[in-house]
Amino acid sequence: MDGKLRADEVAVTKSILKSTFDMWMDLIDVDVVIVGAGPSGLTAAKYLAQNGVKTVVLERHLSFGGGTWGGGMGFPNIVVEKPADEILREAGIKLDEVIGEPELFTADSVEVPAKLGVAAIDAGAKILTGIVVEDLILKEDKVSGVVIQSYSIEKAGLHVDPITISAKYVIDSTGHDSSVIHTLARKNKDLGIEVPGEKSMWADKGENSLTRNTREVFPGLYVCGMAANAYHAGYRMGAIFGGMYLSGKKCAELILEKLENK
Ligand code: 48F
């Protein structure tokens, strides 16, 4: 070691191309594709991956965390209620008690997605950012994977054919957009799928319906997080997030059960 930094252009470019190619070759066929790296998707990824399930999370933006970063109206805190606090504690996230509200905690809206993302990655999930899921693979009336495009190509409006990732199960955790189940409904009218969208705010009802609404809605396709409430016309809940984490965990448990019984 002479202390000199080595930065050869050819070596840098070769390193990027080789590692990217190897990564993609490994990811074209997985157990579970999770669409959307918000709180519910990241939680599902953590629990699936830590149980040995080959899991890839696809996120349109370059950052993961979805709607968490901005807290409530840009105030950098979110609220989490029991028993979902355990999921955050497991990821090493600090929670502050709310005086006079023994069931509620606040958490830093930057710390939460950062540590939850790390927990999912450490568990073995792969998070790919800048990738949009624009369609599904639909074979013999079962969702068997996703059709993906680079977000920059989509945003530029270029006509470029996509590529695919095959999967045993796909999770729609795209939040308020519920864009995966919407795409399935829009492109396959013969299936008669309707997505009513979420209702206005009623925090208690919205939170309590989330885990109930988390389920397989079409063979091979699960909904979790806000997408589950959008699919079932559930209420919105604002900056309280416990239901999102519990929904992600439940979705992982449902898929683990399916994989075990195969
Ligand atoms: O919206 P989001 O955080 O989903 P969530 O896990 O959590 C909802 C809460 O954040 C909040 C709330 C709590 O009261 O209501 O809104 O249900 O994260 C969804 C992620 O999916 C990405 C999007 O960029 C966001 O980061 N996404 C949406 N459509 C696609 C997508 C797509 N077609 N392909 C890839 N990523």
Side-chain angles (χ1 to χ4, degrees):
M1 283 290 287
D2 55 8
K4 187 174 176 304
L5 298 175
R6 307 205 185 280
D8 174 69
E9 292 82 359
V10 172
V12 170
T13 303
K14 269 190 180 170
S15 306
I16 289 174
L17 293 182
K18 170 88 173 63
S19 57
T20 307
F21 184 76
D22 290 348
M23 179 201 83
W24 275 110
M25 287 303 282
D26 184 48
L27 291 181
I28 53 176
D29 193 6
V30 298
D31 292 322
V32 180
V33 166
I34 299 176
V35 190
S40 64
L42 288 177
T43 307
K46 172 182 182 276
Y47 287 105
L48 285 166
Q50 78 185 24
N51 281 284
V53 177
K54 190 173 178 184
T55 305
V56 61
V57 185
L58 302 174
E59 167 56 48
R60 160 183 276 140
H61 293 126
L62 282 182
S63 60
F64 56 78
T68 322
W69 298 105
M73 207 188 80
F75 300 124
N77 280 296
I78 60 163
V79 173
V80 180
E81 68 275 45
K82 282 185 178 174
D85 59 310
E86 280 310 316
I87 294 172
L88 297 191
R89 286 183 210 283
E90 266 179 41
I93 293 161
K94 190 172 149 289
L95 295 165
D96 290 322
E97 287 175 11
V98 179
I99 295 166
E101 295 285 354
E103 303 280 308
L104 296 185
F105 303 90
T106 55
D108 182 298
S109 68
V110 172
E111 182 182 354
V112 173
K115 287 192 174 162
L116 200 56
V118 168
I121 292 165
D122 284 350
K126 182 74 188 172
I127 303 176
L128 291 177
T129 59
I131 304 286
V132 184
V133 169
E134 62 157 54
D135 201 352
L136 293 158
I137 304 175
L138 183 63
K139 285 204 265 193
E140 286 154 9
D141 288 332
K142 181 187 180 297
V143 168
S144 312
V146 292
V147 178
I148 60 170
Q149 185 57 276
S150 156
Y151 181 43
S152 40
I153 289 177
E154 186 204 62
K155 208 166 163 55
L158 301 176
H159 184 81
V160 177
D161 267 327
I163 59 171
T164 59
I165 298 182
S166 295
K168 295 188 181 96
Y169 299 105
V170 173
I171 299 177
D172 183 347
S173 53
T174 59
H176 300 265
D177 295 351
S178 53
S179 66
V180 177
I181 185 77
H182 259 113
T183 301
L184 185 68
R186 179 173 50 82
K187 301 201 83 153
N188 304 279
K189 298 260 183 320
D190 55 313
L191 298 177
I193 298 172
E194 295 215 357
V195 189
E198 74 201 25
K199 296 178 75 152
S200 293
M201 191 177 294
W202 188 347
D204 187 51
K205 285 250 184 203
E207 279 293 88
N208 281 293
S209 62
L210 264 178
T211 42
R212 195 170 59 245
N213 290 341
T214 300
R215 64 182 187 91
E216 190 175 27
V217 290
F218 186 82
L221 178 64
Y222 286 74
V223 287
C224 81
M226 209 56 214
N229 268 12
Y231 181 76
H232 293 93
Y235 288 90
R236 72 182 302 191
M237 68 293 289
I240 182 158
F241 279 70
M244 297 299 153
Y245 306 117
L246 292 170
S247 169
K249 188 173 183 189
K250 178 176 173 194
C251 198
E253 286 165 354
L254 292 174
I255 292 177
L256 285 169
E257 216 175 282
K258 272 274 179 91
L259 288 168
E260 270 162 26
N261 293 329
K262 273 216 153 177

